[in-house]
Amino acid sequence: MWQLLLQMALLILVSAGMQAGWLVLQAPRWVFQEGEPIHLRCHSWKNTSVHSVTYLQNGKGRRFFHHNSDYHIPKATPGYNGSYFCRGLVGKKNVSSETVNIIVQGSTSLSVSPSFLPWHQVAFCLVMVLLFAVDTGLYFSMQRKLRSSPRDWKDHKFKWSQDPQDK
């Protein structure tokens, strides 16, 4: 599916006036977490062979291959943030890919020991237990009062008044 989408995109761009033989820099995504591997591939139209491939970051050469090869970064760090493109020879033409931006985001893992929950989670659980206990106590208290109420209502006489001063 990945190659089909790429070929369709290349076909659209080539039919719109781009020259055949140009390069595309591929990656599984453009945003990575710190510590994840990054895999870049410099790909040509119809898998035409590419020679003397250079991967560039922010305009500076990062890696050179005599024959087309993928560029692997084992562990991403913020130093790998930037704009990337690849350049190479397709036949005798020196061609470059479009620039893409790669973003490496900081680590999202918590530095809390797995045996201890963060304080806000503990506080939330304690408040929920307290509210449940109070609610349950009120429920049973009201049930008890409502069961005994009909006897009290029979013996009690109510006086209704329409005048607010007759209290």
Side-chain angles (χ1 to χ4, degrees), residues 139-152:
Y139 173 77
F140 285 115
S141 173
M142 291 301 296
Q143 284 286 76
R144 195 173 324 126
K145 287 189 182 217
L146 287 174
R147 283 189 189 136
S148 65
S149 291
R151 284 177 285 185
D152 295 339

Side-chain angles (χ1 to χ4, degrees), residues 153-165:
W153 291 349
K154 287 180 187 175
D155 298 337
H156 189 71
K157 298 198 179 204
F158 292 99
K159 180 182 176 187
W160 295 96
S161 172
Q162 291 183 349
D163 189 11
Q165 294 176 356

Side-chain angles (χ1 to χ4, degrees), residues 75-142:
K75 288 187 177 183
T77 63
Y80 289 104
N81 280 328
S83 60
Y84 286 77
F85 69 97
C86 61
R87 178 181 295 151
L89 295 174
V90 178
K92 293 183 180 184
K93 292 182 182 178
N94 187 1
V95 290
S96 297
S97 71
E98 293 291 320
T99 301
V100 295
N101 289 315
I102 291 183
I103 300 169
V104 178
Q105 296 177 336
S107 177
T108 59
S109 64
L110 293 174
S111 61
V112 177
S113 169
S115 62
F116 297 106
L117 292 173
W119 68 268
H120 62 276
Q121 289 179 341
V122 173
F124 178 78
C125 290
L126 289 175
V127 167
M128 288 296 109
V129 167
L130 179 67
L131 287 174
F132 178 76
V134 169
D135 185 52
T136 303
L138 287 172
Y139 173 77
F140 285 115
S141 173
M142 291 301 296

